[in-house]
């Protein structure tokens, strides 16, 4: 005879299945190493590089603020980032950039070079059908 | 003999005159000091001036104290390159350059600038004059407030909120 509280074994098994699914979904998140650098010479953009590579070993770090980008069933991070480059670069700038600026004035002629760099940082990327969630690990 | 007497008389007269002027100056000074001591308004004015000086000094140099935040806002400028495929690309590139400039300005304000100057002077003439400035810093959590693009020049207004806890160790 079933008790009024419900079947405890059944509810426990459902909870364990849900927990297993959740843990599997977190395991599916990929990790990428991303570095970004851009050079501005005399107030004009001179060079910009964004390197993306899949991490070959597990990253260690505290998760930072997340970024959600639009995704159309894509599982290639490079394509997703190139489609949403402005949002992604603004996100990188928020994370913090290293600034190196040098200015030389010779015979009243000024030349300046500014280099903004994001050192190789690990990102956890969770691909979904309609969006991709990117979390920096620092 | 007559001339010597005249000379002595002249010297004594000049010494007397000098003493009188010194006395007069001293009495003037005393009066002035008396006036300062007596006149309360004058002291008030001086104290107000001192307060104003202190206030203006504090307005120039902001010091980060506990429980107080400092908001730093800068405006960076960037120019689009000459060979761009479209106005949109020109805007994007100019904005990138302006952002870098704004970041540099924030770094300059927060961390400071290293300046090196070198002048070569030959035969009393300046042969070569070089000024080198450099900034090295790490900036995070800076926010873009406003972006304007006019006649190929992009201006990015950026601000950063600095709190004491960020620097406390």
């Amino acid at each position: 005879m079933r008790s009024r509280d419900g079947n405890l074994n059944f509810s426990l098994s459902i909870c364990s299945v849900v927990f297993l699914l959740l843990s599997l979904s977190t395991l599916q998140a990929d990790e990428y190493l991303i570095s970004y650098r851009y050079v501005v010479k005399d107030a004009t953009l001179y060079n910009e590089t964004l390197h993306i590579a899949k991490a070959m070993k597990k990253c260690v770090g505290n998760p930072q603020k997340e970024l959600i980008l639009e995704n159309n069933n894509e599982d290639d991070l490079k394509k997703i980032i190139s489609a949403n480059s402005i949002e992604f670069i603004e996100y990188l700038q928020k994370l913090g950039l290293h600034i190196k600026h040098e200015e030389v004035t010779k015979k009243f002629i000024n030349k300046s070079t500014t280099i903004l760099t994001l050192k190789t940082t690990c990102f956890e990327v969770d691909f979904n059908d309609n969006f991709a969630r990117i979390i920096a690990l620092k | 003999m007559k001339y010597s007497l005249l000379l002595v008389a002249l010297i004594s007269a000049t010494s007397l005159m000098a003493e009188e002027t010194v006395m007069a100056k001293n009495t003037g000074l005393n009066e002035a000091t008396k006036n300062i001591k007596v006149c309360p308004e004058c002291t008030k004015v001086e104290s107000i001036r001192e307060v104003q000086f202190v206030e203006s000094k504090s307005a120039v140099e902001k010091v980060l104290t506990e429980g107080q935040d400092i908001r730093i806002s800068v405006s960076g400028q960037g120019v689009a390159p000459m060979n761009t495929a479209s106005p949109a690309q020109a805007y994007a590139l100019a904005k990138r350059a302006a952002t870098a400039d704004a970041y540099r300005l924030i770094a300059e304000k927060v961390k400071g600038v290293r300046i090196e100057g070198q002048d070569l002077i030959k035969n009393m003439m300046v042969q070569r004059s070089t000024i080198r400035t450099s900034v090295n810093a790490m900036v995070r959590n800076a926010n873009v407030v406003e972006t304007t693009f006019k006649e190929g020049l992009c201006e990015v207004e950026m601000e950063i909120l600095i709190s004491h806890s960020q620097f406390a160790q």
Side-chain angles (χ1 to χ4, degrees):
Chain A
M1 189 181 165
R2 285 180 65 184
S3 69
R4 276 186 288 178
D5 296 334
N7 194 341
L8 184 71
N9 288 334
F10 180 71
S11 55
L12 273 172
S13 62
I14 286 207
C15 282
S16 61
V17 166
V18 168
F19 179 73
L20 197 72
L21 283 170
L22 279 170
S23 58
L24 277 171
S25 68
T26 51
L27 280 173
Q28 276 179 348
D30 295 325
E31 285 178 342
Y32 287 86
L33 294 171
I34 297 173
S35 69
Y36 176 65
R37 180 182 189 266
Y38 79 97
V39 183
V40 175
K41 272 192 177 183
D42 301 327
T44 311
L45 189 71
Y46 184 73
N47 183 29
E48 188 177 28
T49 50
L50 179 72
H51 290 294
I52 303 166
K54 211 162 185 178
M56 293 179 85
K57 63 176 190 177
K58 189 112 180 94
C59 295
V60 183
N62 297 322
Q64 307 289 309
K65 202 181 165 186
E66 66 172 28
L67 171 76
I68 291 168
L69 294 177
E70 274 184 41
N71 182 22
N72 294 319
N73 290 322
E74 199 75 61
D75 59 351
D76 188 354
L77 185 66
K78 285 181 188 178
K79 283 181 184 172
I80 295 168
I81 285 174
S82 63
N84 304 279
S85 60
I86 294 167
E87 288 92 342
F88 185 71
I89 284 160
E90 278 176 7
Y91 173 67
L92 293 185
Q93 287 173 351
K94 276 273 173 68
L95 287 174
L97 296 175
H98 183 263
I99 298 144
K100 193 179 176 188
H101 173 80
E102 276 174 13
E103 212 169 306
V104 181
T105 311
K106 270 183 188 173
K107 292 178 182 174
F108 303 106
I109 297 163
N110 182 270
K111 283 179 183 176
S112 71
T113 310
T114 311
I115 304 166
L116 270 78
T117 320
L118 173 80
K119 285 181 182 174
T120 309
T121 309
C122 191
F123 288 80
E124 198 180 88
V125 185
D126 192 5
F127 295 103
N128 288 295
D129 293 341
N130 299 319
F131 65 91
R133 195 169 60 201
I134 301 168
I135 305 165
L137 300 171
K138 274 194 172 182
Chain B
M1 189 67 186
K2 277 180 190 175
Y3 292 116
S4 62
L5 277 170
L6 262 170
L7 194 69
V8 168
L10 267 168
I11 288 164
S12 60
T14 48
S15 64
L16 272 170
M17 288 280 282
E19 272 176 14
E20 274 174 11
T21 49
V22 168
M23 284 287 281
K25 275 182 186 172
N26 285 338
T27 49
L29 273 171
N30 286 334
E31 278 169 13
T33 48
K34 273 176 195 171
N35 281 342
I36 287 164
K37 279 174 187 170
V38 172
C39 171
E41 285 171 10
C42 302
T43 49
K44 265 184 190 174
V45 167
E46 276 180 8
S47 63
I48 288 163
R49 273 181 192 165
E50 275 174 15
V51 168
Q52 280 174 345
F53 175 70
V54 170
E55 276 176 0
S56 63
K57 207 177 176 184
S58 64
V60 172
E61 279 181 34
K62 280 183 183 175
V63 180
L64 193 64
T65 52
E66 211 168 337
Q68 189 194 357
D69 297 336
I70 290 178
R71 190 183 296 273
I72 293 169
S73 55
V74 295
S75 179
Q77 292 181 324
V79 185
M82 294 295 278
N83 49 351
T84 50
S86 64
Q89 192 195 26
Y91 170 74
L93 297 176
K95 193 186 172 187
R96 207 61 57 78
T99 310
D101 191 41
Y103 265 95
R104 191 256 305 174
L105 288 166
I106 287 173
E108 276 186 6
K109 280 194 174 183
V110 176
K111 204 177 174 195
V113 192
R114 187 190 174 94
I115 301 170
E116 286 172 42
Q118 201 173 46
D119 285 348
L120 177 70
I121 296 159
K122 232 178 188 181
N123 298 329
M124 306 290 277
M125 283 191 295
V126 178
Q127 293 281 310
R128 191 176 61 225
S129 175
T130 314
I131 304 160
R132 284 174 193 273
T133 62
S134 62
V135 182
N136 262 309
M138 162 85 182
V139 176
R140 61 190 293 187
N141 291 329
N143 296 310
V144 175
V145 180
E146 201 182 346
T147 312
T148 50
F149 188 67
K150 227 178 193 179
E151 294 163 8
L153 177 79
C154 185
E155 280 188 310
V156 170
E157 202 184 317
M158 201 177 256
E159 68 174 25
I160 189 168
L161 198 69
I162 298 168
S163 60
H164 185 267
S165 59
Q166 288 173 323
F167 294 89
Q169 286 180 347

